[in-house]
Amino acid sequence: MKKIAKLMTLALAVITLASCEDVPSPFGTVTPPKTQGESSTVEPAGDGTATNPFNIAAAIAKCKEIGSTESTEKYYVKGVVVNAGAADATYGNASFYMADEEDTSSKFYAFQVLGSDGKKMTAGYAINVGDVVVIYGPIYNYKGNTPETAGKGAAYIVTINGKRTDEGSSTPTGEYGTKDAPLTVAKALEVINGLEPAGSVSPAYVKGKISKVQSFNDKYKSITYYISDDGSDANALQVYSGKGLDGADFTAQTDLQVGWTVVVTGELKKYVNSSTGATTPEINQSSTIVSIDKTTGGNTTPDEGETKKVSVAEFLAASESTSDWYQLTGTVTHLEDGTYNNSTKYGNFDLVDETGSIYVYGVVTEKGGAKGQFADLMAAKGIKDGCKITIIGNRGSYKETAQVVNAYFVSVEAGSGDGGSSTGASSYSMDFKTNGIGSWTLTDKTKPSDIDAIWKYNSKYGMVATAYVNSTNYASESWIISPKFDLSGATKATLTLHHAINFFTSVDVAKTEVLIKVSTDGTNWTNLTLTGWPEKLGWTFFDSTADFSSYAGKKDVQIAFVYTSTAEKAGTWEIEKVTIE
């Protein structure tokens, strides 16, 4: 441990690790700091073989020689770890930086490496500062400035401190708790407080009661929450961007509930805010839950007769609880104006009655129903701003502000506001930028094997389609298709599409290669004629419209966005939002 602490201090002097705002994806594209691979004071040594591995200086020199394309040949590289890493629960790989012990200013990135013989490491397997590691695999100079291994398990760890990864973690077993004998939160905080700033230890197991569920990261499907020994906010430990049971993805913030008792495994860290210098004790990103006891808290849906019908004012005056259920009726506001992120996906909005207003944090489709399907409920029931809706939920809060949590849909009043009528719904909308693909389905009619996906979600641009991959154009055809929606309450309608087009042969060609189709039976599809095209290609978003009146008054309507390309030219289509009203 003294060696680890000493090298940890040395490493902290030369490297700034990712802040808690940066959540790496196990197999995602990672762009390490551009300062990696600086000139070393250590002479290159080794020939990259098993008997004479490259030292870090030699590995960096070889990467610069190879360039930005992954090497076809594999090499052995040996160095000392300068930042802690742990095996990802899902992929069994880890990422960390290595350096020559004589000069830690020049670093080599071991990116997404597997365990010995290319096997997955067990979840939480620790790679600690000061460990001497030998890795083997293809290498290159990523984007011309970062010497590293090829990712996605192309390289693997040969040994750590002379031992294979299947011989056990380099951290003594049980030093920071075990699954059956986890640390208390108080003990975990004591360990973290004894670390140097930005220091970390792993693997650790900590047991605590959830005191706060802070936020859900939709991109990484993780939740940031707090645990303490007694469930209070005092002496709580942050679990930053953690995963679910056995590393499973979360689907919404409500997947965890205050009062539940969990055992979490991951890396204990004293996080340092790079702007303020303030430290935060935490269980670092990508931790996993190994057990959950839901009998100590959380919500269970009520039996009939157990709910209390209350006004908003009465709800605001009620005590915070996940066992008391309240029925509220009010007018929906701020659902469709982008005020709340993922509002139409999860059902986030303000509920207003004559006594006041309350924020509703998510509504599932029915008692015990699915999360993230509120857009379908909107389409089926005609829910929109101005509707009078009835829901049942618990009294919760966020940052001391009251809100409805764990809510489920009961009914919407016909004819209320603009959102419903006795004859059905009158509009439909989907914000891809906010909700991703949601309940739409993706169908590839023609997809080359060299392309992972033609349609992809981008949080900045919405749904993006392209068959231009790795500097190559591919012929393709790919559809994304809406769920069925109801326009039986409409007498006329216009479709408005907010989108961008680029890299097609021309705007006129784009009109034939990006299509909107409509169907009422899911089998027969008709092209819509869009107007409002720009004069030239580019990344500027614009609105196109189409007359949708032929489908007003009908149920089970579906639309599809169809992208096509050729082997000579594959453009890019970005769709942010579609509205029919």
Side-chain angles (χ1 to χ4, degrees):
M1 288 300 292
K2 289 181 179 179
K3 180 179 179 183
I4 292 173
K6 178 180 177 182
L7 284 166
M8 185 182 297
T9 303
L10 178 62
L12 291 169
V14 297
I15 185 170
T16 301
L17 302 182
S19 75
C20 278
E21 297 301 321
D22 299 317
V23 186
S25 174
F27 277 172
T29 300
V30 176
T31 304
K34 293 183 179 180
T35 55
Q36 302 306 317
E38 298 171 349
S39 297
S40 174
T41 59
V42 178
E43 290 296 320
D47 58 12
T49 62
T51 56
N52 191 21
F54 286 142
N55 66 358
I56 298 303
I60 291 172
K62 188 65 177 179
C63 285
K64 291 180 178 179
E65 175 188 327
I66 292 168
S68 57
T69 302
E70 296 171 6
S71 66
T72 54
E73 189 173 349
K74 297 180 180 181
Y75 301 95
Y76 288 84
V77 180
K78 182 177 181 180
V80 62
V81 176
V82 294
N83 76 286
D88 176 84
T90 302
Y91 298 101
N93 62 21
S95 299
F96 50 90
Y97 286 98
M98 302 163 61
D100 288 316
E101 194 164 2
E102 301 88 344
D103 177 13
T104 55
S105 65
S106 298
K107 293 171 286 295
F108 179 88
Y109 193 34
F111 177 48
Q112 296 177 342
V113 291
L114 293 169
S116 297
D117 297 329
K119 297 178 181 177
K120 290 184 178 181
M121 292 176 281
T122 56
Y125 183 93
I127 297 93
N128 294 308
V129 174
D131 285 344
V132 176
V133 177
V134 177
I135 58 177
Y136 175 67
I139 62 177
Y140 71 127
N141 201 24
Y142 176 69
K143 288 191 175 181
N145 59 27
T146 307
E148 65 177 54
T149 63
K152 297 187 177 181
Y156 63 82
I157 295 170
V158 180
T159 59
I160 298 180
N161 298 326
K163 294 184 177 181
R164 294 166 50 90
T165 57
D166 52 13
E167 292 181 35
S169 171
S170 54
T171 300
T173 302
E175 183 173 356
Y176 304 112
T178 65
K179 178 179 179 180
D180 297 324
L183 301 179
T184 63
V185 172
K187 182 62 179 178
L189 289 170
E190 180 183 322
V191 171
I192 295 171
N193 290 333
L195 298 172
E196 296 288 337
S200 62
V201 293
S202 64
Y205 290 82
V206 184
K207 182 178 181 180
K209 185 176 288 188
I210 298 174
S211 60
K212 181 189 294 185
V213 183
Q214 179 170 300
S215 61
F216 169 68
N217 188 309
D218 188 52
K219 180 178 181 180
Y220 297 104
K221 309 302 181 187
S222 60
I223 293 179
T224 295
Y225 56 102
Y226 289 81
I227 58 175
S228 63
D229 287 325
D230 59 3
S232 69
D233 290 332
N235 299 314
L237 174 64
Q238 182 187 67
V239 182
Y240 177 72
S241 194
K243 289 288 191 176
L245 191 64
D246 298 324
D249 286 346
F250 288 114
T251 60
Q253 186 169 334
T254 50
D255 285 351
L256 290 181
Q257 299 293 327
V258 170
W260 287 355
T261 299
V262 295
V263 175
V264 184
T265 183
E267 177 185 59
L268 301 181
K269 183 175 182 179
K270 183 183 283 188
Y271 166 71
V272 179
N273 186 301
S274 58
S275 300
T276 65
T279 61
T280 301
E282 68 177 22
I283 299 179
N284 199 14
Q285 58 200 29
S286 301
S287 64
T288 63
I289 295 175
V290 297
S291 67
I292 303 179
D293 180 2
K294 299 182 181 181
T295 63
T296 55
N299 67 295
T300 54
T301 54
D303 294 328
E304 298 298 328
E306 292 184 352
T307 61
K308 304 173 186 176
K309 294 182 179 181
V310 295
S311 67
V312 169
E314 291 170 329
F315 183 84
L316 289 168
S319 299
E320 190 168 335
S321 170
T322 54
S323 58
D324 294 327
W325 292 86
Y326 300 94
Q327 179 173 308
L328 294 132
T329 300
T331 302
V332 175
T333 63
H334 299 131
L335 171 62
E336 297 175 291
D337 63 2
T339 301
Y340 306 116
N341 289 337
N342 293 315
S343 57
T344 59
K345 181 176 182 179
Y346 294 109
N348 301 334
F349 52 87
D350 288 322
L351 186 73
V352 181
D353 69 6
E354 63 276 6
T355 69
S357 174
I358 184 71
Y359 174 53
V360 180
Y361 181 71
V363 178
V364 297
T365 54
E366 58 187 349
K367 181 178 178 180
K371 300 170 185 176
Q373 306 298 315
F374 198 77
D376 289 350
L377 191 65
M378 291 171 62
K381 303 294 184 180
I383 300 170
K384 64 185 298 183
D385 284 347
C387 283
K388 182 171 283 188
I389 193 173
T390 298
I391 60 173
I392 292 175
N394 300 133
R395 164 69 158 83
S397 67
Y398 176 67
K399 293 185 177 179
E400 301 182 355
T401 299
Q403 60 184 26
V404 184
V405 297
N406 309 318
Y408 62 90
F409 173 79
V410 177
S411 64
V412 61
E413 185 176 320
S416 63
D418 294 326
S421 71
S422 58
T423 57
S426 60
S427 67
Y428 175 79
S429 68
M430 179 61 177
D431 188 328
F432 293 106
K433 182 177 178 181
T434 300
N435 301 314
I437 196 170
S439 298
W440 288 50
T441 57
L442 189 155
T443 300
D444 291 316
K445 304 287 187 178
T446 304
K447 185 177 79 67
S449 59
D450 292 339
I451 299 179
D452 292 333
I454 296 169
W455 284 98
K456 292 183 179 180
Y457 169 65
N458 185 294
S459 60
K460 291 184 179 180
Y461 311 115
M463 291 303 297
V464 179
T466 185
Y468 181 75
V469 178
N470 295 328
S471 301
T472 304
N473 295 292
Y474 292 94
S476 71
E477 180 181 342
S478 185
W479 297 40
I480 52 173
I481 306 170
S482 75
K484 295 178 180 179
F485 54 89
D486 180 6
L487 293 180
S488 59
T491 57
K492 62 180 181 178
T494 298
L495 180 146
T496 302
L497 180 66
H498 193 58
H499 62 144
I501 53 173
N502 206 358
F503 297 130
F504 292 89
T505 303
S506 67
V507 172
D508 286 339
V509 171
K511 293 178 183 179
T512 66
E513 294 185 345
V514 298
L515 302 174
I516 301 182
K517 294 178 179 285
V518 60
S519 175
T520 55
D521 61 10
T523 301
N524 299 296
W525 294 88
T526 302
N527 288 343
L528 290 179
T529 301
L530 284 176
T531 61
W533 293 90
E535 294 182 359
K536 60 182 181 179
L537 300 167
W539 296 124
T540 301
F541 277 81
F542 60 95
D543 287 333
S544 294
T545 60
D547 184 4
F548 213 77
S549 296
S550 298
Y551 301 93
K554 296 184 178 181
K555 292 184 178 182
D556 297 333
V557 182
Q558 287 179 282
I559 56 175
F561 297 127
V562 181
Y563 169 89
T564 58
S565 62
T566 68
E568 288 71 40
K569 193 66 173 175
T572 299
W573 191 16
E574 298 175 342
I575 304 177
E576 184 175 298
K577 186 175 182 179
V578 60
T579 303
I580 302 170
E581 57 185 2

